[in-house]
Amino acid sequence: MIFDMETLEAQNRYKILTATVTPRPIAWITTLSASGVINAAPFSFFNVMGHEPPTVAIGLLAGSERFKDTAANILDTGEFVVNLVAERNAEAMNITCIDAPPEIDELVLAGLTPAASQAVRPPRIAESPVSFECRVLTSLVTGPRQTAVIGRVVRAHVDDAVILDKERCHIDTQALRLIARMHGSGWYARSTDLFQIDRPSWAAWQEKNVKAEPA
């Protein structure tokens, strides 16, 4: 089946992308409005883009009339914090999806604790095991109701409980128990069923195949 993504209705393009590009990491973003109101909301059009400098990308989608408050704050202030979502945070994260008015602090609704950031004004979420303080590097309008934002990570907060070796920056990734966004309405995935494959080298590949050739 081939879908013409240029002629499909927007809701059907969304269904195809979100049903196939999975699992997607969740950026649980905290921002601060110009008037000082904290906003929090999860975004799953998100990933890390590189490490020199450390950058993340977020796709901000507008609703029927306007961007969510969190997205508007990012574009207005140029600062945000990406908090990652552990399984224990799932219910609280879901509460912050609520379509509350701009003056409502979603962290209060969800019973979460704001913690001071070091280099940006928006707070991080204390209950999150990992938080990245970010400043906007650039933004690109990709459509009438969507904008892609590239943010530079200026500080990374990682729960001490999952640090294996501070000097070597080794982290117990499995202990983070992060969840990811899946398809449809309200589906998520746990990061518990893992497998490992060693990355091949060209030298080893050649040696293996030369030995395998008949004499």
Side-chain angles (χ1 to χ4, degrees):
M1 176 67 71
I2 297 175
F3 296 96
D4 186 342
M5 300 293 276
E6 294 182 300
T7 59
L8 281 178
E9 293 184 0
Q11 63 179 1
N12 288 328
R13 294 195 297 266
Y14 179 86
K15 289 176 185 176
I16 290 170
L17 292 174
T18 58
T20 56
V21 184
T22 61
R24 299 187 305 279
I26 303 167
W28 197 12
I29 300 176
T30 43
T31 59
L32 203 61
S33 71
S35 60
V37 176
I38 299 171
N39 285 101
F43 292 77
S44 66
F45 286 176
F46 155 73
N47 217 316
V48 62
M49 292 291 105
H51 68 287
E52 293 185 291
T55 51
V56 295
I58 305 161
L60 305 177
L61 306 182
S64 58
E65 297 180 359
R66 61 181 178 86
F67 280 115
K68 292 182 179 179
D69 302 320
T70 297
N73 290 345
I74 291 174
L75 297 174
D76 287 345
T77 69
E79 295 184 335
F80 60 99
V81 178
V82 170
N83 306 276
L84 301 185
V85 184
E87 187 177 348
R88 65 178 182 272
N89 304 139
E91 290 295 335
M93 179 272 296
N94 191 49
I95 291 172
T96 64
C97 292
I98 194 168
D99 56 342
E103 67 273 12
I104 298 299
D105 181 345
E106 290 85 358
L107 296 187
V108 173
L109 289 182
L112 295 165
T113 310
S117 295
Q118 188 179 75
V120 299
R121 291 178 62 239
R124 54 193 177 87
I125 298 173
E127 288 80 3
S128 173
V130 180
S131 300
F132 299 127
E133 299 181 26
C134 303
R135 295 195 185 104
V136 173
L137 275 177
T138 190
S139 61
L140 174 67
V141 175
T142 55
R145 291 170 54 191
Q146 65 180 36
T147 296
V149 168
I150 307 295
R152 178 169 184 158
V153 179
V154 294
R155 299 289 189 278
H157 301 259
V158 182
D159 189 344
D160 289 344
V162 300
I163 300 296
L164 297 176
D165 188 323
K166 177 182 177 181
E167 299 305 318
R168 301 172 69 187
C169 296
H170 285 184
I171 295 168
D172 187 349
T173 301
Q174 290 179 253
L176 291 171
R177 306 280 294 184
L178 298 179
I179 60 172
R181 191 69 169 89
M182 292 294 290
H183 60 290
S185 177
W187 283 96
Y188 295 86
R190 299 180 176 91
S191 53
T192 51
D193 185 13
L194 309 179
F195 64 95
Q196 184 176 22
I197 303 176
D198 291 332
R199 182 175 180 174
S201 71
W202 180 241
W205 181 276
Q206 287 182 306
E207 182 181 0
K208 176 183 177 181
N209 284 279
V210 167
K211 289 181 178 179
E213 291 179 0

